[in-house]
C-alpha cells in the first residue's frame, strides 16, 4: 500500500498536502508507534547505503515563552533496525558504523521535522496541536495574546523550535558479515 500524503487544514479548508515521507515526521513529533517507516541512510562516501526500518518513536514537547512568543522544544527518540546493506564492505557489527548510521538518521529526521513544521507554519495549519499545548501550559499567555484558534494560526507562523532528536539502532536484520 502506498500513501501519497496527508492533507492539512486551516479551519474547514484544505490548505496543503504533505509528501509521503513527511508523514513519518508527523509521527515522530506526535510520538506515534508502532513506527513502520523505512528509509535509506548513506554512510561513508555516500556510495554505501543501508535500509532502516523505524520500530518505535517517543516524543516530548515543551513550551516556554521567549521574547513574548511561544518557543517549543521537541525531544524525539526513534528506534531503528538495519534491514539491508548494499555492500559487503559495510561492517554493521562495528559500533562506530552503527553510531554513524544513528547520527545520520538523527540529521535526516531533524531536517524532515524542520521542513514539515515550516510548511504548516506558512499555511497557518497547526496539525500537531502546539496551540493546545500553549493553552494548557501557558494559560495566561493564551488569554492575553492568543484568545482564539483563528488568532493562534497567525501566531503559529512566527513561533520558534528547538529539535533534539536521538536515534538508536536496536537490531541488525541480516548477518553482520
Amino acid at each position: 500500500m502506498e500513501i501519497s500524503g496527508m492533507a492539512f487544514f486551516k479551519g474547514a479548508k484544505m490548505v496543503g498536502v504533505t509528501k509521503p515521507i513527511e508523514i513519518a515526521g508527523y509521527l515522530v513529533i506526535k510520538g506515534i508507534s508502532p513506527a513502520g517507516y523505512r528509509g535509506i541512510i548513506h554512510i561513508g562516501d555516500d556510495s554505501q547505503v543501508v535500509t532502516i526500518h523505524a520500530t518505535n518513536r517517543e516524543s516530548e514537547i515543551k513550551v516556554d515563552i521567549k521574547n513574548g512568543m511561544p518557543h517549543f522544544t521537541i525531544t524525539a527518540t526513534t528506534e531503528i533496525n538495519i534491514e539491508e546493506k548494499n555492500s559487503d564492505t559495510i561492517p554493521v557489527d562495528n559500533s562506530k558504523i552503527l553510531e554513524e548510521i544513528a547520527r545520520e538518521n538523527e540529521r535526516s529526521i531533524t531536517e524532515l521535522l524542520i521542513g514539515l513544521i515550516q510548511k504548516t507554519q506558512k499555511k497557518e495549519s497547526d496539525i500537531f496541536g502546539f496551540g493546545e499545548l500553549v493553552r494548557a501550559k501557558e494559560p495566561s499567555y493564551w488569554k492575553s495574546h492568543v484568545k482564539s484558534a483563528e488568532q493562534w494560526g497567525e501566531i503559529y507562523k512566527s513561533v520558534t523550535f528547538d529539535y533534539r532528536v536521538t536515534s538508536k539502532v536496536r537490531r541488525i536484520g541480516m548477518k553482520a558479515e
Side-chain angles (χ1 to χ4, degrees):
M1 181 185 332
E2 181 178 322
I3 299 174
S4 60
M6 179 175 72
F8 54 95
F9 295 78
K10 179 179 177 184
K13 182 181 177 191
M14 186 175 105
V15 294
V17 178
T18 68
K19 296 175 184 171
I21 192 66
E22 289 174 325
I23 297 170
Y26 174 83
L27 297 173
V28 168
I29 291 169
K30 298 297 282 182
I32 296 172
S33 284
Y37 263 82
R38 286 176 169 75
I40 295 174
I41 300 290
H42 294 267
I43 56 176
D45 63 1
D46 276 357
S47 68
Q48 298 178 321
V49 295
V50 294
T51 303
I52 61 164
H53 175 236
T55 58
N56 189 47
R57 300 181 185 98
E58 294 176 9
S59 72
E60 179 182 24
I61 303 169
K62 292 188 177 179
V63 62
D64 296 303
I65 305 302
K66 291 187 177 180
N67 302 319
M69 289 294 287
H71 176 81
F72 297 90
T73 302
I74 299 171
T75 304
T77 302
T78 62
E79 295 179 0
I80 60 174
N81 291 341
I82 299 173
E83 292 191 328
E84 291 182 67
K85 57 184 182 171
N86 75 334
S87 169
D88 290 337
T89 63
I90 303 172
V92 292
D93 58 346
N94 179 310
S95 63
K96 290 213 183 293
I97 295 295
L98 296 178
E99 288 171 15
E100 183 180 348
I101 292 167
R103 298 299 83 76
E104 180 57 25
N105 192 50
E106 291 167 3
R107 186 204 60 74
S108 177
I109 290 171
T110 302
E111 187 177 292
L112 180 66
L113 300 184
I114 291 169
L116 178 58
I117 287 175
Q118 288 175 347
K119 180 185 276 191
T120 63
Q121 283 180 300
K122 287 177 188 169
K123 300 292 186 172
E124 299 179 20
S125 178
D126 178 10
I127 63 174
F128 309 100
F130 295 126
E132 292 302 315
L133 188 61
V134 172
R135 193 166 71 156
K137 299 293 184 179
E138 298 289 343
S140 60
Y141 179 87
W142 182 271
K143 287 177 187 172
S144 63
H145 292 85
V146 182
K147 300 175 185 156
S148 69
E150 293 77 26
Q151 181 63 25
W152 172 249
E154 184 65 33
I155 293 170
Y156 178 58
K157 290 191 318 189
S158 303
V159 299
T160 56
F161 294 86
D162 283 329
Y163 304 89
R164 297 183 179 139
V165 176
T166 305
S167 189
K168 298 176 184 173
V169 178
R170 286 290 182 210
R171 194 179 63 133
I172 300 169
M174 88 286 300
K175 291 182 182 178
E177 301 164 353

Short mmCIF file of all heavy atoms in Angstrom, two decimals, residues 22-74:
data_model
loop_
_atom_site.label_atom_id
_atom_site.label_comp_id
_atom_site.label_asym_id
_atom_site.label_seq_id
_atom_site.Cartn_x
_atom_site.Cartn_y
_atom_site.Cartn_z
N GLU A 22 6.92 12.87 4.71
CA GLU A 22 6.64 13.83 5.78
C GLU A 22 5.64 13.28 6.79
O GLU A 22 5.59 13.76 7.92
CB GLU A 22 6.13 15.15 5.18
CG GLU A 22 7.22 15.92 4.47
CD GLU A 22 6.72 17.16 3.75
OE1 GLU A 22 5.58 17.14 3.21
OE2 GLU A 22 7.47 18.15 3.72
N ILE A 23 4.89 12.26 6.40
CA ILE A 23 4.01 11.60 7.36
C ILE A 23 4.85 11.01 8.49
O ILE A 23 4.47 11.05 9.66
CB ILE A 23 3.13 10.53 6.69
CG1 ILE A 23 2.21 11.18 5.65
CG2 ILE A 23 2.31 9.76 7.72
CD1 ILE A 23 1.48 10.19 4.77
N ALA A 24 6.02 10.48 8.15
CA ALA A 24 6.93 9.96 9.18
C ALA A 24 7.34 11.06 10.15
O ALA A 24 7.44 10.84 11.35
CB ALA A 24 8.15 9.32 8.53
N GLY A 25 7.57 12.27 9.64
CA GLY A 25 7.90 13.41 10.50
C GLY A 25 6.76 13.73 11.46
O GLY A 25 6.98 14.01 12.64
N TYR A 26 5.54 13.69 10.95
CA TYR A 26 4.37 13.91 11.79
C TYR A 26 4.33 12.86 12.91
O TYR A 26 4.12 13.19 14.09
CB TYR A 26 3.09 13.84 10.95
CG TYR A 26 1.83 13.92 11.76
CD1 TYR A 26 1.32 15.15 12.17
CD2 TYR A 26 1.15 12.77 12.14
CE1 TYR A 26 0.16 15.22 12.93
CE2 TYR A 26 -0.01 12.83 12.90
CZ TYR A 26 -0.50 14.06 13.28
OH TYR A 26 -1.65 14.13 14.05
N LEU A 27 4.54 11.60 12.54
CA LEU A 27 4.52 10.53 13.53
C LEU A 27 5.61 10.69 14.57
O LEU A 27 5.42 10.37 15.75
CB LEU A 27 4.63 9.17 12.83
CG LEU A 27 3.48 8.81 11.88
CD1 LEU A 27 3.80 7.53 11.12
CD2 LEU A 27 2.16 8.70 12.62
N VAL A 28 6.80 11.19 14.17
CA VAL A 28 7.88 11.44 15.12
C VAL A 28 7.47 12.51 16.11
O VAL A 28 7.61 12.34 17.33
CB VAL A 28 9.19 11.85 14.39
CG1 VAL A 28 10.22 12.39 15.37
CG2 VAL A 28 9.77 10.68 13.61
N ILE A 29 6.95 13.64 15.61
CA ILE A 29 6.56 14.74 16.50
C ILE A 29 5.49 14.29 17.47
O ILE A 29 5.54 14.61 18.67
CB ILE A 29 6.10 15.96 15.68
CG1 ILE A 29 7.31 16.57 14.95
CG2 ILE A 29 5.43 17.01 16.58
CD1 ILE A 29 6.96 17.62 13.92
N LYS A 30 4.53 13.52 16.99
CA LYS A 30 3.44 13.06 17.85
C LYS A 30 3.83 11.86 18.71
O LYS A 30 3.09 11.48 19.62
CB LYS A 30 2.21 12.71 17.00
CG LYS A 30 1.64 13.88 16.22
CD LYS A 30 1.11 14.99 17.11
CE LYS A 30 -0.24 14.63 17.67
NZ LYS A 30 -0.81 15.69 18.52
N GLY A 31 5.00 11.25 18.43
CA GLY A 31 5.44 10.09 19.21
C GLY A 31 4.59 8.87 18.98
O GLY A 31 4.38 8.06 19.89
N ILE A 32 4.08 8.71 17.78
CA ILE A 32 3.16 7.61 17.48
C ILE A 32 3.95 6.35 17.09
O ILE A 32 4.79 6.39 16.20
CB ILE A 32 2.19 8.01 16.35
CG1 ILE A 32 1.31 9.17 16.82
CG2 ILE A 32 1.34 6.82 15.91
CD1 ILE A 32 0.43 9.77 15.75
N SER A 33 3.66 5.27 17.78
CA SER A 33 4.24 3.97 17.48
C SER A 33 3.10 2.96 17.39
O SER A 33 2.04 3.19 17.95
CB SER A 33 5.19 3.55 18.60
OG SER A 33 6.39 4.26 18.50
N PRO A 34 3.25 1.84 16.72
CA PRO A 34 4.49 1.39 16.09
C PRO A 34 4.84 2.29 14.91
O PRO A 34 3.97 2.95 14.34
CB PRO A 34 4.20 -0.03 15.64
CG PRO A 34 2.71 -0.10 15.54
CD PRO A 34 2.16 0.89 16.52
N ALA A 35 6.11 2.29 14.60
CA ALA A 35 6.63 3.25 13.64
C ALA A 35 6.26 2.90 12.21
O ALA A 35 5.40 3.51 11.61
CB ALA A 35 8.14 3.37 13.81
N GLY A 36 6.93 1.92 11.61
CA GLY A 36 6.52 1.44 10.32
C GLY A 36 7.16 2.06 9.10
O GLY A 36 6.92 1.58 8.01
N TYR A 37 7.91 3.12 9.21
CA TYR A 37 8.52 3.72 8.03
C TYR A 37 9.89 3.15 7.78
O TYR A 37 10.63 2.82 8.69
CB TYR A 37 8.61 5.24 8.17
CG TYR A 37 7.47 5.92 7.47
CD1 TYR A 37 6.24 6.04 8.10
CD2 TYR A 37 7.59 6.39 6.18
CE1 TYR A 37 5.17 6.64 7.46
CE2 TYR A 37 6.54 6.99 5.53
CZ TYR A 37 5.33 7.11 6.17
OH TYR A 37 4.28 7.69 5.52
N ARG A 38 10.23 3.06 6.49
CA ARG A 38 11.56 2.61 6.09
C ARG A 38 12.27 3.75 5.41
O ARG A 38 11.64 4.62 4.81
CB ARG A 38 11.45 1.42 5.15
CG ARG A 38 11.06 0.16 5.88
CD ARG A 38 10.87 -1.02 4.94
NE ARG A 38 10.76 -2.26 5.70
CZ ARG A 38 9.70 -2.63 6.39
NH1 ARG A 38 8.66 -1.85 6.46
NH2 ARG A 38 9.69 -3.78 7.03
N GLY A 39 13.59 3.74 5.51
CA GLY A 39 14.38 4.79 4.87
C GLY A 39 15.73 4.25 4.47
O GLY A 39 16.10 3.11 4.78
N ILE A 40 16.46 5.09 3.78
CA ILE A 40 17.81 4.75 3.33
C ILE A 40 18.78 5.72 3.97
O ILE A 40 18.56 6.93 3.95
CB ILE A 40 17.91 4.81 1.80
CG1 ILE A 40 17.01 3.73 1.18
CG2 ILE A 40 19.35 4.64 1.33
CD1 ILE A 40 16.91 3.79 -0.32
N ILE A 41 19.84 5.20 4.52
CA ILE A 41 20.89 6.00 5.14
C ILE A 41 22.17 5.84 4.35
O ILE A 41 22.62 4.71 4.11
CB ILE A 41 21.14 5.57 6.61
CG1 ILE A 41 19.86 5.72 7.45
CG2 ILE A 41 22.29 6.33 7.22
CD1 ILE A 41 19.43 7.13 7.71
N HIS A 42 22.74 6.94 3.94
CA HIS A 42 24.04 6.93 3.24
C HIS A 42 25.14 7.04 4.29
O HIS A 42 25.06 7.87 5.19
CB HIS A 42 24.14 8.11 2.28
CG HIS A 42 23.17 8.02 1.15
ND1 HIS A 42 23.49 7.46 -0.06
CD2 HIS A 42 21.87 8.42 1.05
CE1 HIS A 42 22.45 7.51 -0.86
NE2 HIS A 42 21.44 8.08 -0.21
N ILE A 43 26.16 6.20 4.17
CA ILE A 43 27.28 6.25 5.10
C ILE A 43 28.59 6.32 4.33
O ILE A 43 28.65 6.00 3.15
CB ILE A 43 27.28 5.05 6.08
CG1 ILE A 43 27.28 3.73 5.32
CG2 ILE A 43 26.09 5.12 7.02
CD1 ILE A 43 27.38 2.52 6.21
N GLY A 44 29.60 6.74 5.03
CA GLY A 44 30.92 6.82 4.40
C GLY A 44 30.94 7.84 3.28
O GLY A 44 30.55 8.99 3.46
N ASP A 45 31.32 7.42 2.11
CA ASP A 45 31.44 8.31 0.95
C ASP A 45 30.14 8.45 0.19
O ASP A 45 30.12 8.89 -0.96
CB ASP A 45 32.55 7.82 0.02
CG ASP A 45 32.25 6.44 -0.57
OD1 ASP A 45 31.18 5.88 -0.27
OD2 ASP A 45 33.10 5.94 -1.32
N ASP A 46 29.02 8.10 0.78
CA ASP A 46 27.68 8.18 0.20
C ASP A 46 27.38 7.10 -0.83
O ASP A 46 26.27 7.00 -1.31
CB ASP A 46 27.37 9.56 -0.40
CG ASP A 46 26.90 10.55 0.66
OD1 ASP A 46 26.75 10.14 1.83
OD2 ASP A 46 26.67 11.71 0.30
N SER A 47 28.37 6.30 -1.21
CA SER A 47 28.09 5.22 -2.14
C SER A 47 27.59 3.99 -1.40
O SER A 47 27.05 3.07 -1.99
CB SER A 47 29.33 4.86 -2.96
OG SER A 47 30.30 4.27 -2.13
N GLN A 48 27.77 3.98 -0.09
CA GLN A 48 27.31 2.86 0.72
C GLN A 48 26.00 3.26 1.40
O GLN A 48 25.89 4.34 1.96
CB GLN A 48 28.36 2.49 1.76
CG GLN A 48 29.67 2.03 1.14
CD GLN A 48 30.70 1.72 2.19
OE1 GLN A 48 30.81 2.41 3.19
NE2 GLN A 48 31.45 0.65 1.97
N VAL A 49 25.03 2.37 1.32
CA VAL A 49 23.73 2.66 1.92
C VAL A 49 23.24 1.45 2.71
O VAL A 49 23.57 0.31 2.40
CB VAL A 49 22.66 3.06 0.86
CG1 VAL A 49 23.03 4.35 0.16
CG2 VAL A 49 22.42 1.95 -0.13
N VAL A 50 22.46 1.77 3.73
CA VAL A 50 21.75 0.75 4.48
C VAL A 50 20.27 1.13 4.49
O VAL A 50 19.93 2.31 4.48
CB VAL A 50 22.28 0.57 5.92
CG1 VAL A 50 23.69 0.05 5.94
CG2 VAL A 50 22.17 1.86 6.71
N THR A 51 19.43 0.12 4.48
CA THR A 51 17.99 0.34 4.60
C THR A 51 17.64 0.14 6.06
O THR A 51 18.03 -0.84 6.69
CB THR A 51 17.21 -0.67 3.74
OG1 THR A 51 17.65 -0.55 2.39
CG2 THR A 51 15.72 -0.40 3.81
N ILE A 52 16.91 1.13 6.60
CA ILE A 52 16.50 1.05 8.01
C ILE A 52 14.98 0.98 8.10
O ILE A 52 14.27 1.39 7.18
CB ILE A 52 17.02 2.25 8.82
CG1 ILE A 52 16.46 3.56 8.25
CG2 ILE A 52 18.53 2.27 8.88
CD1 ILE A 52 16.59 4.74 9.17
N HIS A 53 14.53 0.47 9.21
CA HIS A 53 13.10 0.38 9.50
C HIS A 53 12.88 0.95 10.89
O HIS A 53 13.48 0.47 11.86
CB HIS A 53 12.64 -1.08 9.43
CG HIS A 53 11.23 -1.29 9.82
ND1 HIS A 53 10.85 -2.14 10.81
CD2 HIS A 53 10.09 -0.74 9.34
CE1 HIS A 53 9.53 -2.12 10.94
NE2 HIS A 53 9.05 -1.28 10.05
N ALA A 54 12.06 2.00 10.98
CA ALA A 54 11.74 2.58 12.28
C ALA A 54 10.76 1.67 13.01
O ALA A 54 9.75 1.25 12.43
CB ALA A 54 11.14 3.97 12.10
N THR A 55 11.07 1.35 14.26
CA THR A 55 10.22 0.42 15.00
C THR A 55 9.51 1.07 16.18
O THR A 55 8.48 0.57 16.63
CB THR A 55 11.05 -0.76 15.54
OG1 THR A 55 12.10 -0.25 16.37
CG2 THR A 55 11.64 -1.57 14.39
N ASN A 56 10.05 2.17 16.68
CA ASN A 56 9.43 2.81 17.85
C ASN A 56 9.76 4.29 17.83
O ASN A 56 10.84 4.69 17.37
CB ASN A 56 9.96 2.18 19.14
CG ASN A 56 9.20 2.65 20.36
OD1 ASN A 56 7.98 2.69 20.37
ND2 ASN A 56 9.92 3.06 21.38
N ARG A 57 8.82 5.10 18.33
CA ARG A 57 9.03 6.54 18.45
C ARG A 57 8.51 7.00 19.79
O ARG A 57 7.47 6.54 20.26
CB ARG A 57 8.26 7.30 17.37
CG ARG A 57 8.62 6.99 15.98
CD ARG A 57 7.78 7.85 15.03
NE ARG A 57 8.04 7.48 13.66
CZ ARG A 57 7.28 6.66 12.96
NH1 ARG A 57 6.20 6.13 13.48
NH2 ARG A 57 7.58 6.36 11.72
N GLU A 58 9.22 7.96 20.37
CA GLU A 58 8.75 8.63 21.58
C GLU A 58 9.07 10.10 21.41
O GLU A 58 10.09 10.45 20.82
CB GLU A 58 9.45 8.08 22.83
CG GLU A 58 9.13 6.64 23.12
CD GLU A 58 9.91 6.08 24.31
OE1 GLU A 58 10.57 6.87 25.03
OE2 GLU A 58 9.86 4.87 24.52
N SER A 59 8.19 10.96 21.91
CA SER A 59 8.48 12.39 21.84
C SER A 59 7.92 13.10 23.05
O SER A 59 6.98 12.62 23.71
CB SER A 59 7.92 13.01 20.56
OG SER A 59 6.52 13.10 20.62
N GLU A 60 8.54 14.23 23.32
CA GLU A 60 8.08 15.12 24.37
C GLU A 60 8.20 16.53 23.81
O GLU A 60 9.21 16.88 23.20
CB GLU A 60 8.95 14.96 25.63
CG GLU A 60 8.56 15.87 26.75
CD GLU A 60 9.47 15.73 27.96
OE1 GLU A 60 10.62 15.30 27.81
OE2 GLU A 60 9.02 16.09 29.06
N ILE A 61 7.16 17.32 24.02
CA ILE A 61 7.17 18.69 23.54
C ILE A 61 6.96 19.61 24.73
O ILE A 61 6.02 19.43 25.51
CB ILE A 61 6.06 18.92 22.49
CG1 ILE A 61 6.23 17.95 21.33
CG2 ILE A 61 6.08 20.37 22.00
CD1 ILE A 61 5.05 17.90 20.38
N LYS A 62 7.86 20.57 24.87
CA LYS A 62 7.76 21.56 25.95
C LYS A 62 7.60 22.93 25.32
O LYS A 62 8.13 23.20 24.24
CB LYS A 62 8.99 21.52 26.84
CG LYS A 62 9.11 20.25 27.63
CD LYS A 62 10.22 20.32 28.64
CE LYS A 62 10.21 19.03 29.45
NZ LYS A 62 11.27 19.00 30.43
N VAL A 63 6.89 23.79 26.01
CA VAL A 63 6.70 25.16 25.54
C VAL A 63 7.16 26.14 26.61
O VAL A 63 6.94 25.92 27.80
CB VAL A 63 5.23 25.44 25.14
CG1 VAL A 63 4.29 25.28 26.31
CG2 VAL A 63 5.09 26.81 24.50
N ASP A 64 7.85 27.18 26.17
CA ASP A 64 8.25 28.30 27.02
C ASP A 64 7.88 29.56 26.26
O ASP A 64 7.72 29.54 25.04
CB ASP A 64 9.76 28.30 27.26
CG ASP A 64 10.24 27.09 28.03
OD1 ASP A 64 9.74 26.89 29.15
OD2 ASP A 64 11.11 26.37 27.53
N ILE A 65 7.79 30.65 26.98
CA ILE A 65 7.57 31.94 26.33
C ILE A 65 8.92 32.65 26.32
O ILE A 65 9.51 32.91 27.36
CB ILE A 65 6.51 32.78 27.07
CG1 ILE A 65 5.19 31.99 27.21
CG2 ILE A 65 6.30 34.11 26.37
CD1 ILE A 65 4.57 31.54 25.91
N LYS A 66 9.42 32.93 25.12
CA LYS A 66 10.71 33.62 24.94
C LYS A 66 10.48 34.85 24.08
O LYS A 66 9.92 34.75 22.99
CB LYS A 66 11.74 32.71 24.26
CG LYS A 66 12.21 31.56 25.12
CD LYS A 66 13.34 30.82 24.45
CE LYS A 66 13.84 29.71 25.35
NZ LYS A 66 14.94 28.95 24.75
N ASN A 67 10.91 35.98 24.58
CA ASN A 67 10.74 37.24 23.86
C ASN A 67 9.30 37.48 23.45
O ASN A 67 9.01 37.93 22.34
CB ASN A 67 11.67 37.31 22.64
CG ASN A 67 13.13 37.16 23.01
OD1 ASN A 67 13.58 37.73 24.00
ND2 ASN A 67 13.86 36.39 22.22
N GLY A 68 8.38 37.11 24.33
CA GLY A 68 6.97 37.36 24.08
C GLY A 68 6.29 36.41 23.12
O GLY A 68 5.15 36.64 22.72
N MET A 69 6.98 35.33 22.74
CA MET A 69 6.41 34.37 21.79
C MET A 69 6.62 32.94 22.30
O MET A 69 7.63 32.65 22.93
CB MET A 69 7.08 34.49 20.42
CG MET A 69 6.73 35.75 19.65
SD MET A 69 5.01 35.82 19.16
CE MET A 69 4.99 34.60 17.87
N PRO A 70 5.71 32.04 21.97
CA PRO A 70 5.92 30.64 22.34
C PRO A 70 7.15 30.07 21.63
O PRO A 70 7.41 30.37 20.46
CB PRO A 70 4.65 29.94 21.84
CG PRO A 70 3.62 31.02 21.77
CD PRO A 70 4.39 32.25 21.37
N HIS A 71 7.89 29.28 22.37
CA HIS A 71 9.07 28.58 21.84
C HIS A 71 8.95 27.13 22.28
O HIS A 71 8.77 26.84 23.47
CB HIS A 71 10.36 29.20 22.39
CG HIS A 71 11.58 28.45 21.94
ND1 HIS A 71 12.14 28.64 20.72
CD2 HIS A 71 12.31 27.49 22.56
CE1 HIS A 71 13.19 27.84 20.59
NE2 HIS A 71 13.31 27.13 21.70
N PHE A 72 9.03 26.22 21.32
CA PHE A 72 8.83 24.81 21.59
C PHE A 72 10.15 24.05 21.49
O PHE A 72 10.97 24.33 20.62
CB PHE A 72 7.85 24.20 20.58
CG PHE A 72 6.48 24.81 20.67
CD1 PHE A 72 6.15 25.92 19.91
CD2 PHE A 72 5.53 24.28 21.53
CE1 PHE A 72 4.89 26.48 19.99
CE2 PHE A 72 4.27 24.85 21.62
CZ PHE A 72 3.95 25.95 20.84
N THR A 73 10.32 23.08 22.39
CA THR A 73 11.44 22.16 22.31
C THR A 73 10.86 20.77 22.09
O THR A 73 10.08 20.27 22.90
CB THR A 73 12.27 22.18 23.61
OG1 THR A 73 12.74 23.51 23.83
CG2 THR A 73 13.45 21.22 23.53
N ILE A 74 11.24 20.20 20.95
CA ILE A 74 10.77 18.86 20.59
C ILE A 74 11.92 17.89 20.86
O ILE A 74 12.99 18.01 20.27
CB ILE A 74 10.36 18.78 19.11
CG1 ILE A 74 9.21 19.76 18.84
CG2 ILE A 74 9.98 17.36 18.74
CD1 ILE A 74 8.88 19.92 17.37
#
